[in-house]
Amino acid sequence: MPTVPFAPDVFTWPADEPQLIGSRCGVCAAVTFPEQPSCPRCGSVEMARRLFPRRGTLIAWTTQEFLPKAPYAGGETQETFKPFGVGLVQLGDEIRVEGRLTESDPEKLHSGGEVELTIIPFREDGDTQVVTFAFKPV
Amino acid sequence: MHDVAIIGVGLHPFGRFGTKSAIQMGAEAIRLALADAGAEWKDVQFAFGGSFEVDNPDAVVGLLGRTGIPFMDVYNGCATAATALEMTADGIRAGKYELGVAVGMDKHGTGAFTSDPTYYGAPSWYGENGQFLTTKFFGMKINRYMHDFGITSRTLARVAAKNYRNGVLNPNAFRRTAIEEDEILNSKMLNYPLTQRMFCSPDEGAAAVLLCRADIAHRYTSTPVFLRATALRTRRYGAYEVHSSWAAVDEDVAPTVYASRAAYETAGIGPEDVGVIQLQDTDAGAEIMHMSENGFCADGDQEKLLAEGATEIGGRLPVNTDGGLIANGEPIGASGLRQVHEIVRQLRGQAGDRQVPGNPKVGYSQLYGAPGTAGVAIMSL
Ligand SMILES: [Zn+2]
């Protein structure tokens, strides 16, 4: 089954070692995720594309235990929905990004834990597998 | 700059009201505020009206009298009411007007708010991926806070139980049934560590506050409440806020901290002087964090303060004496003016069964909401 990212320009794909795509300010070195056309710190428009490290540290986390309303597009129903974790992950010393976690058991999640970027199935569109990004504990 | 006094407050109950429109509720709240001050609609020189659902809150003039006054509609997320209050106060402070009204009204459907993430500056995929949820942000923020400062889930339950208990004493509240701590802890987990009973829900209602130049307040009331300071702030670069797909490594404090500091400085009043407090309790964790963000305790002290009952109506830091958002729900446009209504009733000694003992002289209210906006007001006799 062919795989396509759930949205363009979020992570490099296809790739053996995918990376999240953001931007970095040429004036003050602030970084953003995803890319944006100007700097959130100094307002400069000199933003360049930046690929982030794949590994990081879990700064904060929670669980998503109910089916989100639209615009959620995971395709589950109340019956098929399974809770997922959500975390704020610091990648290197560059940036903290918010994303899904492959683990949703509070007993197995803790602040300071090491995690790695992974690409996981999101939903099926006909004969296409749509994929999203997540972090898995290592 | 002129000083500003609150001479009248009016509240349409919060809850569910069938087919009754938000505009009708807003007009009723204004009538109550006018009656409270012994004033008439024709005395009102200008107004600011706040709402999320209603495009034109100024349509209340069709129910009150089309006097032709300037009536400005505002929306500023959960800080909408703080914005209406500040703009109305500023019109009087600047000397442009002598008397005006700030009104807020809303009529939300059930369930958590949702919208298009791009309207909040977030990428569109943020919603598709299941991240565009305020409840998730609050779960993440309090979970980290509990880890860093030793706060337990029992303390979250204590906050919610207190606010439900205070709601029982408030005839205008949406939820008027006490809920025990264990039932709160055992209700459905929504976003760890926050359970369903720890969250407020969107509902319906309206509130109005009548303001005038302080030197003419005596024409309307013998007990004016002075609006000593208002402050609004948005998030700075290093703050991790609602609907953010990322945050900077260099952390900054939340916008509430900046709004709070500015308001204390303007008022010349410190947290130690405050006798009755209203904090944004979107969930029980938010009330805990807002206690320290507004200077009422050090980070981590909440564990002990809640166990001692310090934030109860009879405690030394009474917080959300009318039940807060947890018992009243959140009609966004009205929520912050509901807070002001409660502070004014408390300072005047008119809070009935939920009156804070010892004649409090200073009250404080704080709003916080997406995508990282805070509003603070300080009032005194
Ligand atoms: Zn910059």
Side-chain angles (χ1 to χ4, degrees), chain A residues 25 28 39 42:
Chain A
C25 175
C28 80
C39 175
C42 77

Side-chain angles (χ1 to χ4, degrees), chain A residues 6-8 10 29-34 36 40-41 59-66 68-74 84 86-88 90-100 106 111 122 132-133, chain B residues 110-117 123-133 135-137 139-141 143-144 147-148 188-194 237 240-241 243-251:
Chain A
F6 78 113
V10 179
V31 287
T32 72
F33 169 70
Q36 62 180 58
R41 182 157 61 189
I59 299 294
W61 61 270
T62 185
T63 55
Q64 180 58 42
E65 308 215 6
F66 61 95
K69 284 186 184 176
Y72 179 62
F84 55 87
V86 185
L88 186 68
Q90 181 167 327
L91 299 173
D93 58 0
E94 288 197 50
I95 190 170
R96 294 171 173 179
V97 303
E98 197 188 274
R100 285 180 174 228
S111 293
F122 184 52
T132 188
F133 71 99
Chain B
T110 55
F113 295 110
T114 191
S115 180
D116 181 334
S124 61
W125 58 255
Y126 191 73
E128 293 161 17
N129 206 36
Q131 294 173 248
F132 185 55
L133 294 133
T135 59
K136 171 223 68 188
F137 166 78
M140 197 130 64
K141 186 174 175 186
N143 198 20
R144 164 116 192 262
H147 173 265
D148 287 353
K188 181 176 164 45
M189 185 64 73
L190 297 186
N191 298 94
Y192 185 91
L194 298 172
Y237 172 69
Y240 171 58
E241 299 295 326
H243 306 328
S244 302
S245 53
W246 63 278
V249 171
D250 292 328
E251 289 182 29

